[in-house]
Amino acid sequence: MMFKISPENWAFLIEFAWLCAKAAGLLGFVSLSVMFLIWWERKVSAHIQSRLGPMRVGWHGCLQTIADTIKLLLKENIVAKDTDKVSFWLAPLVSFVAAFLPFAAIPFAKNLVVQDFGLGLLYIFAVSSLGVIGVFMAGWGSGNKYSLLGAMRASAQIISYEIPLVLSVLSIVMLTGSLNMTKIVEAQGQVWFAFSQPIAFLIYFISALAETNRAPFDISEAESELVAGFHTEYSGMKFSMFFLAEYTNMFVVSAIAATLFLGGWQGPFLPGIFWFLAKVYFLIFLMMWIRWTFPRFRVDQLMNFAWKFLVPLAFLNILATALFLVLKK
Amino acid sequence: MIKRIKRIFSDSFSLLQGLAVTAKYLFSPAVTLQYPTQRWTPPERYRGRVALRPKKCISCQMCVRACPNYSLEVKFSLGEDKKRKLSGFIYHLDTCLFCGLCVEPCPTAAIFMNQEYELAVYERKELVMDLTEADKNVE
């Protein structure tokens, strides 16, 4: 059978292939970056604890993550008897896809963005909040009460902290009047929003820590208290998908923070992509530093902090920003 | 209210102090060793395994009596001059508890504890050794 391809279809096919190429490039970047981040986190944690960390595979253990990935790939695929097969298999994918999709709207440098959405910020928050479904699917699908409890803790936490997160970003949107990431970066030509909106930045950063289930908000997996929370039953490649999602999430929230508060790709002399990545990796380092310094919150403290402190503070901040905007007119 | 706000600021400051502590450790040298390539020198009075200076031993059995676990066996023969001659000093490393009680009563300081700490072996029978053989050259 022969197909006749019309010119419009050719154009569509070329565009589709181009999008696929962009996605593949991003996927490659994300996996490499995650490998680097895992190694880096192990190194940072080791040096904070006066150890050396991985030292054997490659220079200062830099190839350790590759060795670990190969080990995880070769592991047996274990599925417990009482699992809900569909959600058990889909959960890691949903988690990772939700962590990966926001990259489409993040500007890495001027004009270096997959799709410059008009509503980029809205898209990012809409898509990244899907990750909680993956977490809950994992907990439900495992057919294990501890997994389910871990998943409920995690979803309660993620949903609670989403509110101050979005509220803190709202004040930036009020200042720029746009949800487009590129426009928000360009609005920070003179002063970064981290300096003009320090409270919003703090609220964003704290909620982002909780969103990514990082210490001190990591009660959902709390390695020293619980077994593993929602991913207790996972091993091998499916577990590593969750791991990949966690570190991708870290990159995403740091990239959003860098774009919204630290002036994105803007910086003197060096090319924009360098400044953007430097800011992102600095923020990720800050997250690691915090993880290896502070003890974990209790569940009730965690919820109190979100609802009784961060949410009112975020509302006050929005009120102050609105007043400022009205008085400026 | 003012007290509470003050508390928020002092607590935030303590968080920064905590970060400063870990930052200090981040740049301080590691205290761990890369074991097979870097090794630790045990202190002088470290209690490794029991070792023997065979020439000094007079087979008096004081160490055998002192041992709480019966980990030592001294084998000897009587010479023509009715003096004991050491023919074997069996040491059971598997039951030894490294207490050093055998070292103390030795009248000639023939028995002592050396600095060895890599004592793992593949088979249990390797843990039973004859110290007249193993420490043949120890003076």
Side-chain angles (χ1 to χ4, degrees):
Chain A
M1 220 159 73
M2 289 285 286
F3 280 114
K4 256 251 154 84
I5 300 171
S6 67
E8 302 96 72
N9 285 353
W10 268 117
F12 172 76
L13 277 178
I14 288 167
E15 200 179 331
F16 183 70
W18 178 226
L19 264 180
C20 285
K22 279 180 183 170
L26 261 184
L27 201 60
F29 171 75
V30 168
S31 342
L32 275 179
S33 157
V34 166
M35 280 190 177
F36 168 69
L37 286 180
I38 292 172
W39 172 76
W40 201 25
E41 167 124 53
R42 292 186 64 180
K43 277 302 201 190
V44 167
S45 70
H47 282 278
I48 282 178
Q49 295 167 345
S50 296
R51 298 182 284 119
L52 285 168
M55 286 292 278
R56 298 265 173 246
V57 194
W59 180 80
H60 277 249
C62 58
L63 302 177
Q64 182 69 48
T65 328
I66 297 174
D68 288 346
T69 313
I70 294 169
K71 182 202 75 176
L72 283 170
L73 274 167
L74 295 177
K75 269 195 167 183
E76 189 191 348
N77 175 30
I78 300 169
V79 182
K81 200 179 79 188
D82 290 333
T83 50
D84 181 336
K85 293 281 175 333
V86 179
S87 52
F88 186 76
W89 276 89
L90 278 179
L93 283 175
V94 172
S95 278
F96 177 65
V97 168
F100 180 61
L101 281 177
F103 276 94
I106 291 173
F108 282 73
K110 201 170 173 57
N111 299 327
L112 191 65
V113 51
V114 175
Q115 195 73 19
D116 200 9
F117 295 112
L119 293 173
L121 204 53
L122 183 69
Y123 162 78
I124 287 175
F125 284 116
V127 180
S128 59
S129 60
L130 286 176
V132 69
I133 296 177
V135 167
F136 201 77
M137 275 166 83
W140 180 259
S142 296
N144 171 338
K145 60 190 168 201
Y146 300 110
S147 296
L148 185 59
L149 283 172
M152 302 226 293
R153 277 174 158 205
S155 358
Q157 174 187 340
I158 293 172
I159 290 168
S160 301
Y161 276 88
E162 202 121 293
I163 296 159
L165 187 85
V166 175
L167 286 178
S168 68
V169 167
L170 208 58
S171 54
I172 304 297
V173 177
M174 284 161 72
L175 283 177
T176 53
S178 168
L179 284 163
N180 183 311
M181 298 292 267
T182 312
K183 283 215 178 102
I184 293 174
V185 172
E186 276 160 2
Q188 297 175 77
Q190 264 83 46
V191 188
W192 291 354
F193 285 140
F195 298 115
S196 56
Q197 285 280 355
I199 296 172
F201 181 53
L202 267 180
I203 296 172
Y204 177 86
F205 194 70
I206 293 168
S207 323
L209 281 177
E211 276 295 288
T212 47
N213 282 331
R214 295 280 301 179
F217 303 101
D218 61 342
I219 43 155
S220 59
E221 58 176 283
E223 53 215 350
S224 42
E225 290 164 31
L226 316 171
V227 183
F230 62 89
H231 56 64
T232 308
E233 298 291 342
Y234 284 87
S235 62
M237 211 47 215
K238 291 207 286 297
F239 167 73
S240 65
M241 288 292 267
F242 279 119
F243 217 65
L244 198 65
E246 184 189 330
Y247 279 85
T248 314
N249 264 327
M250 268 170 78
F251 192 95
V252 168
V253 292
S254 302
I256 297 169
T259 316
L260 294 183
F261 295 100
L262 299 180
W265 67 77
Q266 290 173 338
F269 312 122
L270 292 158
I273 179 108
F274 171 81
W275 280 110
F276 178 75
L277 288 179
K279 286 165 187 171
V280 171
Y281 283 121
F282 171 73
L283 285 173
I284 294 176
F285 170 72
L286 211 59
M287 291 169 94
M288 292 175 182
W289 189 8
I290 286 170
R291 173 170 178 193
W292 296 102
T293 304
F294 297 140
R296 190 174 294 124
F297 274 97
R298 246 174 18 226
V299 186
D300 57 327
Q301 290 171 331
L302 184 101
M303 287 303 180
N304 277 348
F305 188 60
W307 290 104
K308 291 187 183 168
F309 186 74
L310 287 182
V311 173
L313 195 66
F315 272 121
L316 276 178
N317 191 46
I318 286 177
L319 202 69
T321 314
L323 269 178
F324 169 76
L325 284 174
V326 169
L327 290 178
K328 216 176 99 180
K329 264 182 194 169
Chain B
M1 190 66 191
I2 294 169
K3 228 180 182 178
R4 247 193 116 160
I5 292 171
K6 260 189 184 167
R7 194 89 204 264
I8 290 172
F9 278 100
S10 68
D11 287 1
S12 314
F13 183 67
S14 79
L15 290 180
L16 292 180
Q17 279 178 320
L19 285 174
V21 169
T22 42
K24 204 181 81 195
Y25 278 103
L26 181 61
F27 296 107
S28 64
V31 294
T32 50
L33 292 176
Q34 293 298 99
Y35 164 59
T37 48
Q38 290 178 313
R39 268 156 211 273
W40 168 69
T41 5
E44 209 179 316
R45 293 177 62 182
Y46 180 78
R47 295 208 297 250
R49 78 164 168 84
V50 169
L52 183 75
R53 301 184 181 96
K55 284 183 190 138
K56 283 194 176 177
C57 181
I58 54 169
S59 315
C60 66
Q61 311 264 13
M62 294 295 275
C63 49
V64 178
R65 282 189 212 181
C67 182
N69 281 355
Y70 311 107
S71 298
L72 298 172
E73 291 168 47
V74 177
K75 289 182 178 162
F76 58 88
S77 54
L78 283 176
E80 286 170 11
D81 50 355
K82 295 274 173 87
K83 275 193 175 168
R84 289 173 178 184
K85 196 169 170 297
L86 184 69
S87 59
F89 194 103
I90 314 293
Y91 171 44
H92 295 265
L93 184 59
D94 49 352
T95 54
C96 178
L97 56 86
F98 303 91
C99 60
L101 287 180
C102 51
V103 176
E104 281 161 34
C106 185
T108 59
I111 190 167
F112 65 104
M113 302 199 83
N114 68 9
Q115 313 264 304
E116 279 178 38
Y117 52 88
E118 289 158 310
L119 297 170
V121 289
Y122 283 99
E123 277 180 64
R124 191 166 179 181
K125 65 181 180 211
E126 289 173 54
L127 291 171
V128 182
M129 53 182 103
D130 188 346
L131 291 189
T132 53
E133 291 293 313
D135 296 338
K136 217 188 306 181
N137 303 317
V138 179
E139 295 284 326

